[in-house]
Amino acid sequence: MEPRELRRAVAAGREAAVALGLPVDDVHVVHDSDRVVLRLVPCDALLRVAPAHGLAEAEFEVGVARRLAEVGAPVAELDPRVEPRVPVRDGFAISFWTYYAPTSSAVAPADYADAFLRHHAALRRVELDAPHVTDRIASALTVVNDRERSPELPDVDREFLADTLGGLGAAIGGDRARDQLLHGEPHPGNLLNTGGGPLFVDLATCCRGPVEFDLAHAPEEVTPHYPGADPELVHRCRALNWALFSAWRWRRDDQMPGRERGRTEGLRQVRAALERRG
């Protein structure tokens, strides 16, 4: 966020917590992008604060978290001291979560796969109205094919991304027999290694598709530990994920940190993933 907007977001989070009776002496910014994550002390609450136009997404995430907690999924839970809703304050949608102290060690591939297996099993036990992976692809294609929405995307890269997204989307969306609810973006940054084991966070990306789409967000060493996974489909999904990432970075209104580097890196990773597939 811009510095001024970040200050407003921090103030809104503090005020919302105090209004709910949580003691707040200090606020630490844990993550800052299109929305911010705040840790409040001494109450040790974790807040996700997004512009109010993201209210529907925040409410969806809270709903997903509630349902998954009920079936024992390995996910970060909502703050039990606060009602499971998303208040809006000073133009910001605010959700309250449990704070987990991270451990210093990385999640081992076998543990990552085990977390996936338990998470996917839990997702099969809940009913949620979630979009399909191909809906995400269609949104990315809209950006790539619209020069007004991606004015700085070179024509050669525009054609490459459009062909990649269209081709992989058709290949992955053609067989719905393997589809189920997924996390949607379970990359290492969205898996916390806590004292109680690995927990998935950032649940707003929940969607439907093959489990290989989730696996493609994890390090390559994880796939061999996931029984029944199709390695070829994982490779396709890995290329697709980088194509999606690249498309978002070329949006005219993209505000993610490191946007310029992400544009170049995203295209490079798509080509590298396709080359590894032959």
Side-chain angles (χ1 to χ4, degrees):
M1 292 185 179
E2 295 294 330
R4 181 175 178 275
E5 187 179 22
L6 177 59
R7 289 193 294 270
R8 289 182 50 237
V10 170
R14 179 195 291 269
E15 292 168 5
V18 171
L20 292 171
L22 298 177
V24 182
D25 292 337
D26 201 1
V27 180
H28 302 285
V29 178
V30 177
H31 180 72
D32 177 16
S33 58
D34 52 341
R35 65 177 177 178
V36 296
V37 179
L38 309 174
R39 180 190 175 193
L40 278 52
V41 291
C43 65
D44 250 0
L46 196 76
L47 273 59
R48 296 182 183 271
V49 184
H53 61 72
L55 175 61
E57 181 179 289
E59 289 179 332
F60 175 73
E61 181 177 30
V62 166
V64 172
R66 289 182 63 189
R67 299 294 300 277
L68 289 177
E70 291 172 355
V71 295
V75 297
E77 297 188 5
L78 298 165
D79 191 322
R81 299 167 295 182
V82 177
E83 289 186 25
R85 59 187 184 86
V86 184
V88 176
R89 197 176 191 94
D90 192 24
F92 293 96
I94 305 166
S95 54
F96 291 76
W97 300 81
T98 297
Y99 173 75
Y100 298 91
T103 65
S104 58
S105 59
V107 180
D111 294 334
Y112 210 130
D114 178 69
F116 265 139
L117 287 166
R118 291 184 291 117
H119 189 43
H120 289 152
L123 284 162
R124 288 192 291 271
R125 295 175 58 193
V126 301
E127 289 293 333
L128 287 171
D129 184 14
H132 195 269
V133 169
T134 51
D135 295 332
R136 192 178 298 181
I137 298 170
S139 296
L141 276 169
T142 299
V143 172
V144 171
N145 292 328
D146 187 343
R147 282 182 166 79
E148 290 189 4
R149 298 186 64 184
S150 54
E152 298 174 287
L153 179 59
D155 287 345
V156 63
D157 294 325
R158 188 184 304 277
E159 182 178 358
F160 168 68
L161 279 178
D163 288 347
T164 301
L165 288 167
L168 290 176
I172 292 170
D175 180 10
R176 301 292 180 96
R178 300 172 65 91
D179 288 357
Q180 69 153 80
L181 277 175
L182 306 173
H183 179 285
E185 288 187 7
H187 54 72
N190 282 337
L191 184 63
L192 299 180
N193 199 12
T194 72
L199 298 176
F200 289 103
V201 300
D202 204 356
L203 306 175
T205 54
C206 182
C207 61
R208 291 189 177 275
V211 296
E212 286 81 0
F213 183 76
D214 267 359
L215 286 168
H217 287 81
E220 295 185 14
E221 298 80 10
V222 173
T223 300
H225 296 278
Y226 193 105
D230 181 346
E232 173 61 21
L233 185 54
V234 173
H235 285 309
R236 289 183 180 181
C237 289
R238 199 175 301 279
L240 172 61
N241 288 338
W242 279 113
L244 291 168
F245 172 85
S246 185
W248 302 143
R249 299 295 75 77
W250 285 100
R251 287 179 301 180
R252 180 180 56 197
D253 56 353
D254 183 61
Q255 297 180 359
M256 288 294 287
R259 175 187 181 188
E260 296 300 325
R261 184 181 64 82
R263 288 176 168 183
T264 303
E265 181 65 9
L267 288 168
R268 188 189 72 79
Q269 290 284 1
V270 176
R271 291 187 168 93
L274 291 175
E275 287 173 3
R276 284 197 296 272
R277 286 187 56 238

